[in-house]
C-alpha cells in the first residue's frame, strides 16, 4: 500500500487548509488526481465535507503516482470510471475516519491497474464497502485468518473490537446489548456473502440445533471468495508469509 507520508508536505497539509475556499480550490492543489476530482466534486459534495474529500484526493494521488498518465487520461473519458469516481466521492464525503478514506482511495486506484477487474465489478465492491461500518471491516479481516493462533498482531491491535462478548442470564442489560451488537456484525457479513459458515451436522447428516443461540450449531466461519476479493481491493488483506 502506498504511504501517504511520501506525498509532498504541501499536498498533505494544505489540502485541509483550503476547505473554506470550496471543493475546486481544495482539490486543485493535488496536482493530478485533484484535477479530475475537482470537476466532479462541485456537484455532488456539500462544502462542509470538502476537508474529507481533500484528504481522499491526497490518498488517491499517492496510489496513482506510479501509473502511466495515458492510462489515467483514458479512464477520465470513460463514463463508467466517472460514475465509479462519483460513488467514491460520495462515500468519502461521509467517511469520518482516515482508514475508510484509505480503503476508498485504494479501491478506486485498483480500477486503473493493468490487472484490474471491470469498473462495474469495482463499483459492486464499493457498494458492499458502503454497506459495512468500520467495525464490520475489522471483523471481515478477522475471518480472513480465523485460526486460533492466526494474525496475532492484527488481533492485538483490534482487541477492543474482536474480544468475544459473553452474556448470561445474570448479565446486565449493557452486556446483553454488547453481545447482540457483536453478533449482528457477523450476521451482516454472512448476509452480504462476505463470510460463509459451515453448519454442524449430527451422525445422520442433520443440522444440530443450538439451544443457547436458538439457531443451528456452527462448525466454523470463514471469509468467502467475495470477502477476500474486497479485502484485497481495499488494501486490507492479511500479508502472506512464505513457508
Amino acid at each position: 500500500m502506498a504511504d501517504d507520508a511520501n506525498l509532498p508536505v504541501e499536498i498533505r497539509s494544505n489540502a485541509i487548509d483550503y476547505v473554506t475556499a470550496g471543493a475546486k480550490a481544495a482539490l486543485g492543489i493535488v496536482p493530478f488526481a485533484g484535477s479530475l476530482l475537482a470537476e466532479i466534486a462541485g456537484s455532488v459534495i456539500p462544502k462542509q465535507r470538502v476537508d474529507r474529500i481533500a484528504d481522499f484526493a491526497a490518498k488517491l494521488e499517492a496510489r496513482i503516482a506510479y501509473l502511466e498518465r495515458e492510462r489515467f487520461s483514458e479512464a477520465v473519458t470513460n463514463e463508467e470510471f466517472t460514475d465509479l469516481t462519483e460513488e467514491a466521492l460520495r462515500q468519502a464525503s461521509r467517511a469520518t475516519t482516515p482508514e475508510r478514506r484509505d480503503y476508498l482511495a485504494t479501491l478506486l486506484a485498483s480500477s486503473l491497474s493493468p490487472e484490474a477487474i471491470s469498473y462495474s465489478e469495482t463499483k459492486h465492491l464499493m457498494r458492499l464497502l458502503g454497506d459495512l461500518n468500520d467495525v464490520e471491516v475489522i471483523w471481515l479481516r478477522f475471518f480472513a485468518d480465523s485460526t486460533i493462533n492466526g494474525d496475532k498482531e492484527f488481533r492485538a491491535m483490534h482487541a477492543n473490537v474482536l474480544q468475544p462478548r459473553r452474556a448470561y442470564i445474570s448479565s446486565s442489560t449493557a452486556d446483553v446489548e454488547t453481545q447482540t451488537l457483536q453478533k449482528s456484525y457477523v450476521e451482516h457479513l454472512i448476509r452480504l456473502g462476505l463470510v460463509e459458515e459451515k453448519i454442524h451436522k449430527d451422525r445422520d447428516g442433520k443440522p444440530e440445533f443450538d439451544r443457547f443461540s436458538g439457531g443451528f450449531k456452527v462448525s466454523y466461519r470463514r471469509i468467502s471468495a467475495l470477502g477476500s476479493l474486497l479485502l484485497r481491493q481495499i488494501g486490507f488483506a492479511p500479508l502472506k508469509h512464505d513457508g
Side-chain angles (χ1 to χ4, degrees):
M1 181 181 294
D3 185 357
D4 297 342
N6 290 332
L7 286 173
V9 174
E10 61 272 19
I11 294 177
R12 290 188 289 108
S13 59
N14 291 351
I16 305 303
D17 295 337
Y18 273 74
V19 173
T20 55
K24 292 189 176 182
L27 297 176
I29 66 164
V30 182
F32 191 57
S35 60
L36 164 68
L37 299 179
E39 292 302 318
I40 301 174
S43 60
V44 298
I45 304 300
K47 290 184 178 180
Q48 64 268 30
R49 296 182 178 181
V50 173
D51 55 339
R52 298 175 186 173
I53 300 303
D55 179 56
F56 169 72
K59 293 178 184 297
L60 181 61
E61 178 75 13
R63 283 150 187 78
I64 65 174
Y66 302 102
L67 291 176
E68 294 181 1
R69 292 319 195 214
E70 292 77 9
R71 186 176 185 84
F72 193 89
S73 298
E74 290 175 3
V76 171
T77 63
N78 187 300
E79 290 186 2
E80 287 187 294
F81 179 74
T82 301
D83 185 54
L84 180 64
T85 303
E86 289 179 354
E87 178 63 25
L89 285 167
R90 288 188 182 95
Q91 290 196 32
S93 74
R94 299 190 298 268
T96 58
T97 63
E99 290 81 8
R100 172 69 57 151
R101 294 189 288 273
D102 190 61
Y103 301 152
L104 288 165
T106 303
L107 182 55
L108 183 59
S110 72
S111 71
L112 296 170
S113 70
E115 302 81 17
I117 58 179
S118 70
Y119 290 133
S120 61
E121 290 168 336
T122 301
K123 188 170 183 179
H124 178 63
L125 293 179
M126 191 172 290
R127 285 173 173 168
L128 283 174
L129 178 61
D131 285 338
L132 302 178
N133 61 37
D134 290 347
V135 172
E136 289 168 333
V137 174
I138 293 173
W139 273 105
L140 182 60
R141 166 65 184 272
F142 166 81
F143 285 110
D145 188 359
S146 57
T147 56
I148 294 177
N149 294 316
D151 221 352
K152 290 183 178 179
E153 183 177 349
F154 172 79
R155 294 184 191 184
M157 182 182 302
H158 299 284
N160 61 319
V161 171
L162 301 174
Q163 181 66 33
R165 311 299 179 182
R166 309 291 186 188
Y168 307 95
I169 296 177
S170 59
S171 296
S172 66
T173 300
D175 288 340
V176 173
E177 291 174 346
T178 299
Q179 182 196 42
T180 301
L181 283 171
Q182 189 177 76
K183 182 180 178 181
S184 72
Y185 298 144
V186 177
E187 291 175 343
H188 189 210
L189 293 173
I190 294 171
R191 288 197 302 272
L192 291 175
L194 300 172
V195 169
E196 54 191 20
E197 60 182 12
K198 176 70 174 179
I199 302 300
H200 188 272
K201 297 181 179 180
D202 60 21
R203 293 180 179 179
D204 297 325
K206 298 180 180 179
E208 285 194 35
F209 185 75
D210 187 341
R211 62 187 181 89
F212 294 103
S213 67
F216 293 118
K217 288 184 178 180
V218 177
S219 296
Y220 61 83
R221 295 185 178 94
R222 65 186 179 189
I223 195 168
S224 67
L226 179 61
S228 295
L229 176 61
L230 177 59
L231 286 186
R232 289 198 305 273
Q233 296 297 99
I234 67 174
F236 199 44
L239 295 176
K240 292 183 178 181
H241 300 284
D242 295 334

